[in-house]
Amino acid sequence: PPLVPGEAIARTPQDIRDEITMAVDQSRNAIVYVPPGVRLAFSSNVECKRAMHLSVRSSGEGATLDGKKRSNMFSISDGCSLYLEALHFVDGRGDYGGAVDAFGAGDIAMKDVSFTGCEANDVRRPSLPRTARPHKLSLSDALPAYAFPPQLAQHGGGMYVLNSGDVSLESASFSKC
């Protein structure tokens, strides 16, 4: 599909970082498109630490974001909201959340995403979205509650959310996380 107006193309994790920096400088949201079939290799995560909206999407077969068992892909905080679409997270590793660590973030929405082989180093913090304040967790398109068995939650897994906004997952899958 064609790019959305204002959308930047990313072929490396640095392209996503650069778009966030430009968006902050221009007081706007960061919107990134990763072409289908592209594989982004992460040696460190992408941080969003502003009250802004970060959208990272692909289309069709999707793009792969690979942590190489060295890094998670996103660290989201300070009110940053995150939207992810048509992305495959593989081999992410972080202290909290093997692929996505959200602490004090805004809303988080994911559509057509998969997490495979992601792990967290700190087994004391669960990967299930949880918060010290009320929030809404929406699981759509048959993502069953049992997709998060307790043993996986204790080991961090693909995503960790704490003290953040609403979390919405549509057509999301977690395997070996």
Side-chain angles (χ1 to χ4, degrees):
L3 292 177
V4 173
E7 195 168 43
I9 293 179
R11 297 189 188 277
T12 68
Q14 188 59 48
D15 292 339
I16 300 172
R17 291 182 193 98
D18 292 346
E19 171 60 12
I20 292 170
T21 299
M22 287 178 28
V24 168
D25 290 347
Q26 298 171 7
S27 299
R28 62 174 174 81
N29 293 324
I31 307 170
V32 178
Y33 179 77
V34 184
V38 167
R39 184 178 202 93
L40 303 181
F42 288 74
S43 57
S44 63
N45 61 28
V46 169
E47 294 183 340
C48 183
K49 296 182 173 181
R50 303 279 177 155
M52 65 184 294
H53 181 82
L54 170 61
S55 173
V56 181
R57 72 174 188 97
S58 188
S59 59
E61 69 186 73
T64 300
L65 284 64
D66 189 345
K68 302 288 209 179
K69 292 290 184 194
R70 293 187 308 231
S71 175
N72 59 10
M73 291 70 157
F74 292 99
S75 177
I76 309 299
S77 62
D78 298 333
C80 181
S81 291
L82 179 65
Y83 176 74
L84 302 171
E85 181 178 351
L87 300 171
H88 309 288
F89 294 89
V90 299
D91 295 334
R93 183 179 189 128
D95 288 338
Y96 311 111
V100 177
D101 180 9
F103 180 78
D107 295 340
I108 298 171
M110 298 183 191
K111 179 179 180 184
D112 300 326
V113 296
S114 64
F115 297 84
T116 305
C118 299
E119 58 190 65
N121 299 328
D122 188 336
V123 299
R124 295 168 296 172
R125 291 173 66 177
S127 65
L128 290 175
R130 72 175 234 205
T131 180
R133 65 177 185 78
H135 76 286
K136 173 185 165 191
L137 174 62
S138 170
L139 302 176
S140 301
D141 280 356
L143 177 66
Y146 60 82
F148 298 96
Q151 65 272 25
L152 297 183
Q154 292 171 359
H155 291 95
M159 176 176 64
Y160 179 78
V161 179
L162 180 67
N163 292 335
S164 297
D166 293 342
V167 177
S168 175
L169 306 175
E170 181 178 338
S171 297
S173 68
F174 293 79
S175 175
K176 298 181 183 174
C177 287

